[in-house]
Amino acid sequence: MHTNQQTGPVYIVGAGLFGSVLAERIANVQKRQVMIFEQRAHLGGNCYSFDDQETGINCHQYGCHIFHTKNAAVYQYLTRFCTLNSYHHRVYTRAHGALYPMPINLETVNKFFHLQLTPSECAAFLQQKIAAGRIESPQNLEEQAVSLIGRELYEAFIRGYTQKQWQRDPKELPAYIIKRLPFRTSYNADYFDNPPYQGLPIGGYGEVFKRMLDHPLIEVRLNTRWQDVKDKIPADAVVIYTGMPDELFDYCLGRLEWRTLDFKWETVSVGDYQGCACINEAAPEVPYTRTHEFRHYHPENTAAAKDKSVICREYSREYRAGDIPFYPVDTQRNRELYSQYQEMAKRSGRFILGGRLGLYRYMDMDVTIAAALQCFAEEFLSGRH
Ligand code: UDP
């Protein structure tokens, strides 16, 4: 243990959710100095949102981020910096030329099969479909989906979307990815499985991060890459690193794979373009996965333009050097490579990896906040650093 480590400033690479929560905790609770290096020109990482100047609509620059959690402590923590609006996520998906509720629910099943089943009839109907698939213990995303909803619904709503999102056969993807989606035999159309706390920060995410990091002990250096400052940092200083772990170690063991997203933005001359916040595209021949219409995420914003709307289409593709990494690709090869980098970080005695990139884990916002609070307790409150 180094004296310098416990008294000197803590350096944080990345002002996203994980890095910002740690900075806030270290400054407020430990009264310790924090310096954050952020390579972008703004705070908030991929959660960042901004008010579009032309329309006054709050837009999520890196795809929509809807806060939802069952964890009361995480909710209480976040709402110290914002008030959440009343938005509850609901999604439609287009398949075979029609729109259906997504996640798959009673309305989706009835519309797709031209039936009028009740919830218990629907459960029995799906059981027959599932039994026909004969999958004992699902080993991958496809088997998991077929064992939850049967083959026809899987083919119509899951296979094409999943292939576009991951550019892999769903048989090569882990089962847990599809468990992010609920499947229901009721008319409940909420995207998330009824978390008690859900919404978007009134005023957008930009303000949340400004409030979180507004502390005399926190200094943020925007437009600053770790590579450009690392030689000026004391060699034993503790560094919370929320970027790509392979980059931290100069790719010495090889490159981790990521998925990136391209966004095509458009301001349309109509107040309501699609009637809801998000429409997915299940068909493999439609090149984008979903269209967001940002005004619907903030129904409380009555000052936004009434005759225009901002929409954004999401295209998923393989990450290449220089792109923004969004999703880790959970294959055995990547998991093994990541654990070697994680071992290197541990052995360094000074690098703490965190966030979706640093932990190479497909985490939602609430899980990221919980992981940051846990990291603060284990690494700092414990006296280790
Ligand atoms: N998914 C799908 N069809 C949809 C929506 C989701 O097949 O209309 C599958 C797809 O495999 C996706 C996973 O469910 O990767 C998780 O979706 P989620 O909306 O949670 O993804 P995220 O919002 O994190 O991109």
Side-chain angles (χ1 to χ4, degrees), residues 46-196:
N46 285 353
C47 301
Y48 174 70
S49 72
F50 64 96
D51 280 342
D52 173 56
Q53 285 203 333
E54 189 183 347
T55 59
I57 295 170
N58 194 261
C59 297
H60 297 202
Q61 188 157 329
Y62 309 97
C64 82
H65 283 73
I66 300 140
F67 179 78
H68 58 99
T69 193
K70 295 189 166 94
N71 185 329
V74 164
Y75 168 76
Q76 275 149 17
Y77 177 80
L78 185 72
T79 51
R80 286 174 48 202
F81 311 100
C82 63
T83 304
L84 295 180
N85 71 7
S86 61
Y87 180 75
H88 272 223
H89 200 34
R90 297 214 167 157
V91 173
Y92 285 86
T93 186
R94 198 186 323 270
H96 304 305
L99 286 177
Y100 298 86
M102 171 58 68
I104 292 167
N105 70 3
L106 184 52
E107 191 179 341
T108 316
V109 174
N110 277 339
K111 189 170 175 182
F112 185 75
F113 291 105
H114 306 288
L115 295 168
Q116 290 185 45
L117 303 172
T118 64
S120 54
E121 288 167 351
C122 179
F125 176 78
L126 285 181
Q127 269 318 313
Q128 284 176 4
K129 301 273 177 204
I130 292 163
R134 286 191 208 91
I135 292 167
E136 294 291 315
S137 65
Q139 298 298 317
N140 56 52
L141 194 155
E142 175 167 312
E143 290 182 5
Q144 181 69 67
V146 172
S147 73
L148 287 168
I149 50 172
R151 185 150 291 275
E152 286 134 297
L153 291 168
Y154 163 73
E155 301 276 349
F157 296 106
I158 307 297
R159 188 164 76 176
Y161 187 97
T162 299
Q163 261 165 357
K164 285 191 285 187
Q165 174 72 10
W166 298 99
Q167 239 174 328
R168 273 174 175 74
D169 189 313
K171 289 193 199 78
E172 292 164 20
L173 290 165
Y176 74 81
I177 291 182
I178 205 62
K179 287 198 193 150
R180 291 171 59 83
L181 290 184
F183 297 100
R184 305 197 184 101
T185 52
S186 73
Y187 286 111
N188 180 354
D190 282 358
Y191 197 73
F192 305 116
D193 221 357
N194 298 328

Side-chain angles (χ1 to χ4, degrees), residues 136-319:
E136 294 291 315
S137 65
Q139 298 298 317
N140 56 52
L141 194 155
E142 175 167 312
E143 290 182 5
Q144 181 69 67
V146 172
S147 73
L148 287 168
I149 50 172
R151 185 150 291 275
E152 286 134 297
L153 291 168
Y154 163 73
E155 301 276 349
F157 296 106
I158 307 297
R159 188 164 76 176
Y161 187 97
T162 299
Q163 261 165 357
K164 285 191 285 187
Q165 174 72 10
W166 298 99
Q167 239 174 328
R168 273 174 175 74
D169 189 313
K171 289 193 199 78
E172 292 164 20
L173 290 165
Y176 74 81
I177 291 182
I178 205 62
K179 287 198 193 150
R180 291 171 59 83
L181 290 184
F183 297 100
R184 305 197 184 101
T185 52
S186 73
Y187 286 111
N188 180 354
D190 282 358
Y191 197 73
F192 305 116
D193 221 357
N194 298 328
Y197 311 107
Q198 182 174 177
L200 282 97
I202 293 174
Y205 285 102
E207 288 303 309
V208 179
F209 287 91
K210 273 189 205 147
R211 281 186 213 127
M212 221 180 237
L213 299 176
D214 180 19
H215 192 286
L217 287 170
I218 301 177
E219 184 183 338
V220 185
R221 296 208 182 155
L222 296 175
N223 305 304
T224 306
R225 288 163 51 86
W226 169 245
Q227 284 82 350
D228 300 333
V229 292
K230 63 180 182 191
D231 295 338
K232 299 177 193 121
I233 306 300
D236 66 345
V238 57
V239 178
I240 297 162
Y241 183 89
T242 69
M244 297 189 294
D246 50 357
E247 188 178 33
L248 174 66
F249 296 111
D250 297 323
Y251 309 101
C252 64
L253 304 172
R255 283 178 185 262
L256 290 163
E257 289 173 292
W258 308 88
R259 298 293 294 165
T260 191
L261 297 174
D262 291 324
F263 300 101
K264 291 210 174 138
W265 293 85
E266 206 181 323
T267 301
V268 290
S269 300
V270 58
D272 191 353
Y273 175 76
Q274 62 181 19
C276 66
C278 181
I279 293 186
N280 289 358
E281 300 291 343
E285 57 276 13
V286 178
Y288 48 93
T289 51
R290 52 191 174 188
T291 307
H292 297 288
E293 183 173 12
F294 285 100
R295 75 156 57 255
H296 294 291
Y297 288 115
H298 284 281
E300 79 285 1
N301 181 5
T302 49
K306 307 270 181 297
D307 57 344
K308 287 181 182 158
S309 201
V310 183
I311 62 164
C312 179
R313 299 206 160 91
E314 263 181 45
Y315 298 75
S316 170
R317 66 169 171 81
E318 200 176 310
Y319 166 92

Side-chain angles (χ1 to χ4, degrees), residues 310-373:
V310 183
I311 62 164
C312 179
R313 299 206 160 91
E314 263 181 45
Y315 298 75
S316 170
R317 66 169 171 81
E318 200 176 310
Y319 166 92
R320 293 185 296 260
D323 291 331
I324 299 174
F326 282 87
Y327 299 92
V329 181
D330 191 351
T331 59
Q332 198 177 339
R333 179 252 177 208
N334 288 331
R335 269 196 301 276
E336 282 170 12
L337 183 55
Y338 173 74
S339 53
Q340 286 174 276
Y341 281 123
Q342 196 180 38
E343 198 44 47
M344 286 176 74
K346 269 197 199 128
R347 275 203 311 268
S348 76
R350 62 186 291 239
F351 288 113
I352 298 168
L353 301 178
R356 204 188 249 208
L357 305 186
L359 295 172
Y360 202 64
R361 214 181 298 149
Y362 190 3
M363 299 194 295
D364 286 335
M365 296 176 72
D366 63 329
V367 178
T368 306
I369 294 175
L373 295 174

